[in-house]
Amino acid sequence: MIRSLTDAQRRDWLRLARTENVGAVTFDQLIGRFGEPALALAALPDLARRGGRIKPLSIPSEAQADAELEAGAALGARLIASCEADFPLPLAALDPPPPLLWVRGKAELLARPCVAVVGARVASAAGQRFARGLAADLGRTGHVVVSGMARGIDGAAHEGALPFGTVAVLGGGIDDVYPPEHRPLYERLIVEGCVVSENEPGRTAVARDFPRRNRIIAGLSRAVVVVEAELRSGSLITARLAAEQGREVLAVPGSPLDPRAKGANDLIRQGAALCEGVDDVLRALEGLRDLREPDRPAYRPAPIDPYPALIRRVADLLSPTPVSRDELVRAAAAPAPAVFAALVELSLAGRAELLPGGMVSSG
């Protein structure tokens, strides 16, 4: 895997990551198949046509990629690709990692052990006080606190951790300040802490950005603490993603009369560790194995081209219900590399969605 990028490689890496229908899984498969982003970019139109796409795939031009790089540089932000040595190790350990990350502020915080503190936007005063105190206590033990800069628990956690180190993961671009009243907090974060985003500068977050944002919050962290959360909330998505990634999940118990406690109490019922203070977090972290970047197979110089009949067969096997890629290999009765290659071509055509965790659904 590349460990440093030339300017041209960085631009191509960005162009591939911003191409229509190329998410983290498809990006990872394309790099594994072609080795270099430039080779993958050259192959994309033909791959999409083979997958059944009719209209041309939208691929950013070199000028568009340069414009994004210049916009980030104007903000004092830095783009780090997932192949680079200073990409955060916990994120690199994800399968697959996000292809790139914009970073503004103290990037060195990403190399320290991190713990996420997340919770309800409409949080109680007691919940915010607990989050602020827990974040400060975690900071005193040398941990960086990660959260999403939202109202309520997130904002309180950042405030408590600012003197020690905190990272905000944004759903929009690196300069998308939401909620607006957190502008003063954001200005402090880019000086005293760190702000990260995988989206381009200037982008305003939309609903589909937040699950990806939550995956990064969990991915940066060795543990996730949920302070307050209703039964259907983004904080529970973050907790689920953390559990899937092999991170520790803790929850702060609350009154059964408060709807904001139901999500956290349910996490405890499902096996999350109970958190009443920093000592509970430290105990949970004691038995956690170190996160390591997975060994990725070397790319094949000669790409595997699935034959058209196999592409049709794999497409027929897909449905809106996600299934694992291993199940598709068995059902297709074909070699795994050929099935995976077919899935990439179907995803570029918008006919398949490749999900983290090895799951696939129809597009």
Side-chain angles (χ1 to χ4, degrees):
M1 198 64 164
I2 304 166
R3 284 328 226 176
S4 63
L5 295 175
T6 64
D7 289 344
Q9 286 174 325
R10 186 177 305 279
R11 182 175 59 198
D12 287 341
W13 194 275
L14 177 59
R15 291 178 64 206
L16 184 60
R18 298 289 187 241
T19 294
E20 181 184 9
N21 293 338
V22 175
V25 180
T26 302
F27 183 97
D28 191 63
Q29 292 285 318
L30 287 167
I31 292 297
R33 183 169 168 181
F34 294 98
E36 289 279 353
L39 297 176
L41 285 166
L44 285 179
D46 186 54
L47 295 179
R49 282 193 298 270
R50 287 162 55 92
R53 187 178 180 89
I54 298 174
K55 65 178 184 177
L57 195 67
S58 177
I59 303 172
S61 66
E62 292 184 358
Q64 288 172 316
D66 285 339
E68 178 175 340
L69 291 168
E70 290 165 8
L75 292 167
R78 179 178 166 219
L79 184 69
I80 307 177
S82 58
C83 65
E84 295 185 287
D86 48 358
F87 191 80
L89 179 60
L91 276 187
L94 296 187
D95 188 16
L100 48 81
L101 206 62
W102 277 108
V103 180
R104 190 177 186 188
K106 295 183 175 179
E108 63 270 20
L109 292 175
L110 299 170
R112 288 170 47 190
C114 297
V115 173
V117 178
V118 297
R121 286 175 170 81
V122 184
S124 69
Q128 292 183 58
R129 184 179 69 246
F130 182 91
R132 193 176 296 110
L134 176 64
D137 289 342
L138 285 167
R140 293 186 186 97
T141 66
H143 289 85
V144 171
V145 170
V146 180
S147 200
M149 211 181 81
R151 293 185 178 97
I153 297 301
D154 289 21
H158 288 308
E159 289 170 3
L162 262 171
F164 310 98
T166 184
V167 174
V169 184
L170 306 187
I174 197 76
D175 53 347
D176 181 32
V177 181
Y178 186 84
E181 62 266 26
H182 276 180
R183 170 63 67 177
L185 173 60
Y186 176 86
E187 296 296 340
R188 290 190 65 191
L189 281 164
I190 62 176
V191 174
E192 302 173 52
C194 182
V195 178
V196 303
S197 171
E198 63 175 326
N199 286 321
E200 62 272 20
R203 179 186 172 110
T204 300
V206 296
R208 68 176 179 272
D209 292 321
F210 289 101
R212 292 164 55 219
R213 187 276 306 262
N214 294 343
R215 184 172 186 256
I216 292 177
I217 291 175
L220 283 171
S221 308
R222 303 182 74 232
V224 171
V225 182
V226 178
V227 178
E228 288 182 337
E230 297 194 18
L231 283 173
R232 296 175 65 85
S233 73
S235 299
L236 297 191
I237 294 175
T238 306
R240 174 180 59 78
L241 293 168
E244 291 174 357
Q245 295 167 6
R247 276 60 169 169
E248 290 292 328
V249 178
L250 299 94
V252 178
S255 168
L257 302 178
D258 188 345
R260 290 169 295 201
K262 289 187 179 297
N265 289 347
D266 192 55
L267 285 174
I268 295 170
R269 191 177 297 114
Q270 294 178 41
L274 184 146
C275 178
E276 293 181 320
V278 68
D279 289 341
D280 292 318
V281 181
L282 297 179
R283 273 193 295 271
L285 291 174
E286 283 176 359
L288 187 66
R289 58 183 174 81
D290 289 337
L291 299 168
R292 296 185 307 162
E293 184 176 358
D295 293 327
R296 302 187 185 277
Y299 73 93
R300 297 174 178 271
I304 300 168
D305 290 325
Y307 47 90
L310 177 60
I311 296 174
R312 290 194 296 271
R313 188 189 316 164
V314 173
D316 289 342
L317 291 170
L318 297 174
S319 77
T321 302
V323 296
S324 72
R325 288 183 296 177
D326 290 342
E327 287 183 66
L328 282 176
V329 169
R330 284 193 292 271
V339 173
F340 296 164
L343 285 170
V344 168
E345 297 183 13
L346 289 167
S347 72
L348 291 171
R351 300 171 64 195
E353 185 175 5
L354 308 189
L355 306 169
M359 305 297 285
V360 189
S361 66
S362 57

